[in-house]
Amino acid sequence: MKPDEKPVILLDGNSLSIEDIVAIGIGDKQVALAADALERCRASRTFLEEEIAARRIIYGVNTSFGPMCNKIIEDSEVEALQVNLIRSHAAGLGEPLKPYIAIGVLVIRLNTLLKGFSGVRIELLELMREMINHRIAPFIPECGSVGASGDLIHLAHMALGLIGEGRLYDGETLKPADEVLKAHGLAPMRLSYKEGIALINGTSAMTSLAAFALFGAKKLLRLACVTGAFSLEIFGGIDDAFDEDLHAVKPHPGQVSIAETVRRLYHGSANITPRSEMHERIRQQQQDGPVFETTINVQDVYSVRCTPQVLAPVSEAIDLAVRTVETEANSSNDNPIIIPERKKIIHGGNFHGQSIAFCMDALSMAISTLCNLSERRINKLLDPKLNEGLPEHLIPGTIGLTMGFMGAQYLATSTTAENRQLAGPVSTHSISCNASNQDVVSMGTVAARKAFKAISNAKHILTLEVLADLQALSFRNADGLGAGTGRIFTILNRDFRVYDNQRVFHDDLVRFRKLLFSSQLFDDLAVYWREAG
């Protein structure tokens, strides 16, 4: 492979993963079109042409759209019909989707069309491929989709670029679409029947947003297991809260998995308090009288002890969302659906985004729960009444003259509150529109945008928790860390400096947030996960 070439993902309509979407979106990989998928597309187009020649009435081909579907269009106007649909529905406002997410939209739409049930021509698929591989991203405003007849507004903006109208990102620069296509030796499409509605009548925008959200959510969950293990070791937590037999009698899959992960992380630690040794240590403090008070915790606080139970539904919500999003990304979700081998053109509602909406609402709730846990552990580290002998606000210098993590805690508190608000569901807020033709809508793209924002916020909070953990470990227990926590501490500590009030805290946060959620760091951590089993 030449140095300037990138690995290629073969799009076939059936096997696109979240990791693929992200890798293509950020420019790490390119795409090619599977030969068998192209054959299915040719068969679908041929059958559609036969049905049109037979004077069949087909929605969106020779009829108008939505509640105007009883208006039949003359053959001479079918091309104008498709272009008018795109221009009229390119009606979004707000900040544009990031170019990498917009390329993800293009990738998912191309993959769904490659299933071969949409009746589009090969030339359209090839243009979409070329735009992806040339890093030409559609300009897509974030607001407008109700997620019922798919992402009509978002995908209309995507389709504008394909016909040489509107604007496109050439790399990071926004330019007129026709100029960008010409600069890359590409010609805009002249749409034929069915192709306008096939492009915009689907769920690809919400699915791209959801894919990038989930990619971040999976990183957050892994990091939350690390910070959970760090907290256990910093405070000398008791081992039996993570005992395999404890979780076997409440066997939620996420709970069992999280407990096992944390056990692997602290395995071999000299900091953990074994329950078997605690009894004698407490008895050594016994005094005369009917009651005596020990300085040793008989049980840890919930933010330490209940990590598996709290993160269990988070893990399970992520797993469910991954299955849902990957199913959607490999589905035909426009209308009508053309199945040539069965001689069928089927009118239905595969464009509806309720599945994505529901799992994105659940993901927002899950991420809010993860943030609750992280924020409480940060508070325990900083509050001298709770932090079991650590310096107040983790201050390494003169307490009172220097502030340590006092100000930074507000970031975690306020952002956790914001994520609690974002956890409110939007998929239940159906509002009838389109002259009551779309009388039940999903709000799936709003839900996905909300989840994406919540995950970005959560990265702020986990970044601060990691910095607080490393600061706490600079005072105690770093030498006794377990095999997993020790290895991860070594990786993180390469870039960590104790905060001593000689720097602006914001700069540490920016640097560490980028480090924690960069691909390279998680590549390093992945070595540990694999070796740990």
Side-chain angles (χ1 to χ4, degrees):
M1 185 173 69
K2 295 178 182 178
D4 58 341
E5 290 181 344
K6 297 175 182 176
V8 173
I9 292 173
L10 191 65
L11 298 182
D12 60 6
N14 298 308
S15 54
L16 187 65
S17 69
I18 285 170
E19 286 72 23
D20 291 339
I21 295 164
V22 172
I24 300 164
I26 64 176
D28 286 348
K29 295 186 178 180
Q30 293 187 322
V31 300
L33 310 182
D36 58 342
L38 293 175
E39 285 305 308
R40 293 195 302 269
C41 292
R42 288 189 183 97
S44 176
R45 182 69 181 186
T46 298
F47 179 61
L48 176 60
E49 289 172 347
E50 292 169 354
E51 291 293 280
I52 292 169
R55 305 287 290 170
R56 309 293 189 202
I57 301 299
I58 304 168
Y59 174 77
V61 174
N62 47 27
T63 80
S64 191
F65 305 101
M68 299 189 295
C69 62
N70 61 342
K71 294 175 170 54
I72 311 304
I73 309 301
E74 282 298 314
D75 291 350
S76 61
E77 299 294 337
V78 292
E79 289 186 1
L81 178 71
Q82 303 300 313
V83 174
N84 289 343
L85 174 69
I86 291 169
R87 289 172 177 162
S88 64
H89 282 66
L93 281 177
E95 292 297 312
L97 299 184
K98 300 290 187 184
Y100 61 84
I101 297 175
I103 287 178
V105 175
L106 200 57
V107 170
I108 294 166
R109 197 80 215 125
L110 175 56
N111 192 62
T112 63
L113 297 178
L114 279 166
K115 288 192 75 69
F117 302 121
S118 298
V120 301
R121 292 171 297 166
I122 303 302
E123 301 95 291
L124 177 58
L125 305 175
E126 290 173 337
L127 176 58
M128 296 172 78
R129 176 197 63 198
E130 293 305 303
M131 286 178 63
I132 293 164
N133 290 342
H134 283 88
R135 305 286 303 151
I136 300 171
F139 170 80
I140 304 175
E142 65 179 353
C143 295
S145 175
V146 296
S149 198
D151 293 310
L152 291 172
I153 281 183
H154 289 68
L155 295 181
H157 280 277
M158 179 202 77
L160 272 182
L162 288 162
I163 64 174
E165 299 186 14
R167 292 179 290 172
L168 292 168
Y169 286 99
D170 191 356
E172 298 294 323
T173 305
L174 195 59
K175 300 177 181 178
D178 57 346
E179 291 182 15
V180 175
L181 294 176
K182 184 177 181 180
H184 290 274
L186 303 174
M189 281 294 298
R190 184 183 176 93
L191 296 180
S192 180
Y193 41 76
K194 181 65 166 66
E195 290 177 331
I197 192 172
L199 284 169
I200 79 170
N201 202 193
T203 57
S204 303
M206 67 178 79
T207 305
S208 180
L209 281 160
F212 279 93
L214 281 166
F215 190 77
K218 289 195 283 187
K219 286 187 175 184
L220 283 167
L221 181 61
R222 279 182 283 174
L223 194 56
C225 291
V226 172
T227 56
F230 276 156
S231 290
L232 191 68
E233 296 217 51
I234 289 165
F235 294 112
I238 304 166
D239 64 345
D240 60 351
F242 298 86
D243 189 283
E244 185 175 3
D245 291 332
L246 174 72
H247 299 285
V249 298
K250 189 178 179 180
H252 293 292
Q255 179 178 329
V256 171
S257 173
I258 298 296
E260 181 183 3
T261 298
V262 175
R263 281 198 309 274
R264 289 204 315 264
L265 285 165
Y266 72 66
H267 178 72
S269 170
N271 299 319
I272 304 299
T273 304
R275 176 71 62 178
S276 58
E277 297 177 8
M278 191 190 66
H279 312 290
E280 181 60 29
R281 289 168 58 186
I282 291 175
R283 287 301 176 189
Q284 289 174 359
Q285 296 183 356
Q286 185 167 355
Q287 300 172 2
D288 293 338
V291 176
F292 75 96
E293 184 173 342
T294 177
T295 60
I296 298 167
N297 290 332
V298 177
Q299 294 188 137
D300 296 308
V301 296
Y302 287 14
S303 62
V304 176
R305 183 182 6 146
C306 297
T307 295
Q309 290 85 352
V310 174
L311 292 183
V314 178
S315 174
E316 291 167 15
I318 290 171
D319 288 345
L320 173 61
V322 167
R323 290 195 299 273
T324 301
V325 169
E326 290 187 343
T327 297
E328 194 71 33
N330 293 285
S331 297
S332 287
N333 45 53
D334 59 306
N335 179 54
I337 295 296
I338 301 162
I339 306 181
E341 62 270 24
R342 298 184 65 83
K343 302 297 182 185
K344 284 185 174 182
I345 295 181
I346 309 170
H347 295 70
N350 278 5
F351 47 62
H352 206 285
Q354 199 71 43
S355 292
I356 295 290
F358 192 88
C359 74
M360 286 297 101
D361 274 346
L363 183 63
S364 292
M365 292 174 62
I367 294 301
S368 178
T369 298
L370 182 150
C371 293
N372 286 339
L373 191 64
S374 178
E375 187 277 333
R376 286 294 83 196
R377 288 198 293 239
I378 292 168
N379 187 70
K380 180 172 170 60
L381 286 165
L382 304 186
D383 189 338
K385 299 186 293 296
L386 303 174
N387 68 11
E388 302 180 26
L390 287 167
E392 184 174 359
H393 299 298
L394 300 178
I395 296 169
T398 303
I399 294 175
L401 179 62
T402 57
M403 312 303 153
F405 279 61
M406 176 190 287
Q409 185 180 10
Y410 305 139
L411 170 70
T413 305
S414 63
T415 311
T416 298
E418 183 179 352
N419 271 8
R420 290 175 183 176
Q421 191 273 331
L422 290 172
V426 70
S427 58
T428 55
H429 291 270
S430 176
I431 301 174
S432 179
C433 59
N434 193 229
S436 294
N437 173 54
Q438 296 186 24
D439 56 351
V440 179
V441 303
S442 76
M443 299 299 179
T445 307
V446 180
R449 284 171 47 215
K450 187 163 60 71
F452 187 85
K453 175 62 174 174
I455 285 157
S456 180
N457 285 347
K459 291 177 181 179
H460 303 340
I461 300 164
L462 267 291
T463 296
L464 180 59
E465 186 183 5
V466 168
L467 287 172
D469 286 339
L470 296 175
Q471 185 98 340
L473 287 165
S474 74
F475 294 112
R476 69 185 188 202
N477 293 359
D479 291 342
L481 288 169
T485 47
R487 186 165 181 172
I488 293 168
F489 172 78
T490 299
I491 292 170
L492 297 176
N493 209 43
R494 295 173 193 157
D495 295 275
F496 174 72
R497 290 185 293 159
V498 169
Y499 184 71
D500 58 4
N501 257 91
Q502 300 303 303
R503 305 182 301 281
V504 175
F505 209 116
H506 166 80
D507 297 339
D508 284 23
L509 288 164
V510 170
R511 184 169 54 86
F512 241 79
R513 189 186 190 279
K514 183 176 181 180
L515 171 73
L516 287 171
F517 298 100
S518 71
S519 298
Q520 184 55 53
L521 175 65
F522 272 87
D523 286 346
D524 292 342
L525 295 183
V527 173
Y528 168 71
W529 299 112
R530 287 196 298 272
E531 291 178 357

